[in-house]
Amino acid sequence: MSGGREEGDITHCDSRLSVSLNAARHVGGYSLRLFVAQFLGLVGIVLYNWWVWVVVASNLLNSTDEFFSDLEANGRPDATIFQHFDLAAGIVMFVAFLIRGPWGPSGKRKEWRWLLLFAAAGAVGGHYAYACPEGLSAACRSAEWHLKLPLHHYLHVISGVIEFAAITMAVYVAWKRTREDSGWVSLAVKGVAIAMLIDYPLLAVAYLTDRFGAFVEPIFFVCFSVMVAVELLEPRRRPAEVDEVALS
């Protein structure tokens, strides 16, 4: 009888060891995926914020009333470079979100699909450029409203609207998901939501009056970048849950 018990104990230990090794491989494999996703996300954030280089190391911004997006209009200096930055940023972020996946500490995060749409719209906006700088030219603005500009101009406008709408929905859904929590993810999402809530009326005023666009637009870029970082840095599961898998 004792021999049978010992054999059963050994079998049980082998089973526990096999489960633990499989859990370790799972955690290790996911850790690599997470690292790749976060690295790509960082690259995407850097590319997305090319406006920082414009402010710090160039004289391309002629007025504080100008929108940074006007720098991508055809014919502007270095417009093609900025367009490629936006295209690359959108593609890299899209891949990063795909690799990271929708899972969060409490299951699937509903904002994930909105973030994919945000990244895709950003890439499309980088591919199709403004035909002219609407924020600087009254003639361009008039031609835009009278539908006299090339199709790629309106594709850029539409993709920009989708980009803003998608990330706004992502922030809203993430806020609903985390509003009862007290961790850093909840605080970051709430901060982004408040900043965007304040900045949207300012953006409307800047657009309608053609004033202070260079001050208002970067607030959104920063908010979007923080949201991307939060979604990629949020843990997939709590550490205690990983321990339970390894010890089960």
Side-chain angles (χ1 to χ4, degrees):
M1 293 295 291
S2 61
R5 196 161 43 241
E6 289 176 1
E7 183 178 348
D9 291 341
I10 292 173
T11 302
H12 181 64
C13 288
D14 288 343
S15 178
R16 286 169 61 88
L17 178 60
S18 177
V19 171
S20 297
L21 289 174
N22 288 335
R25 291 193 199 99
H26 174 76
V27 173
Y30 179 73
S31 295
L32 178 60
R33 285 181 55 194
L34 185 61
F35 172 78
V36 172
Q38 291 173 349
F39 175 76
L40 291 176
L42 175 62
V43 172
I45 289 172
V46 171
L47 292 171
Y48 189 76
N49 287 281
W50 53 261
W51 63 273
V52 175
W53 177 83
V54 171
V55 173
V56 174
S58 80
N59 58 356
L60 295 174
L61 196 67
N62 298 321
S63 169
T64 56
D65 297 332
E66 185 175 355
F67 284 99
F68 285 95
S69 52
D70 289 323
L71 296 176
E72 297 180 82
N74 289 340
R76 298 295 303 275
D78 297 326
T80 302
I81 295 177
F82 300 144
Q83 293 165 14
H84 288 165
F85 280 166
D86 275 350
L87 174 61
I91 293 174
V92 170
M93 287 183 186
F94 188 88
V95 174
F97 288 135
L98 279 180
I99 294 175
R100 169 60 179 79
W103 295 97
S106 302
K108 283 188 176 181
R109 301 176 298 179
K110 294 181 180 180
E111 68 269 21
W112 181 71
R113 293 183 179 181
W114 290 107
L115 291 166
L116 288 176
L117 180 59
F118 158 75
V124 171
H127 181 69
Y128 297 102
Y130 275 137
C132 54
E134 61 167 5
L136 295 178
S137 171
C140 178
R141 182 76 63 84
S142 176
E144 179 183 81
W145 282 102
H146 288 86
L147 304 179
K148 295 181 179 180
L149 296 177
L151 177 62
H152 64 81
H153 181 96
Y154 297 101
L155 290 175
H156 183 92
V157 172
I158 293 171
S159 64
V161 172
I162 294 175
E163 179 184 353
F164 271 65
I167 194 70
T168 301
M169 282 300 302
V171 171
Y172 173 70
V173 173
W175 170 76
K176 287 184 64 178
R177 176 175 64 85
T178 62
R179 59 184 171 182
E180 302 299 331
D181 300 334
S182 58
W184 68 270
V185 172
S186 176
L187 293 175
V189 172
K190 288 177 182 177
V192 169
I194 292 172
M196 290 176 62
L197 189 63
I198 295 173
D199 204 35
Y200 263 117
L202 297 178
L203 179 64
V205 172
Y207 182 81
L208 294 174
T209 63
D210 293 326
R211 300 290 301 276
F212 305 118
F215 292 113
V216 174
E217 200 174 27
I219 298 176
F220 282 103
F221 296 151
V222 172
C223 287
F224 297 172
S225 299
V226 170
M227 187 62 189
V228 170
V230 167
E231 288 292 316
L232 292 174
L233 291 173
E234 185 178 19
R236 180 172 180 173
R237 61 175 67 189
R238 295 182 178 89
E241 293 175 343
V242 175
D243 294 340
E244 288 175 5
V245 171
L247 294 175
S248 60

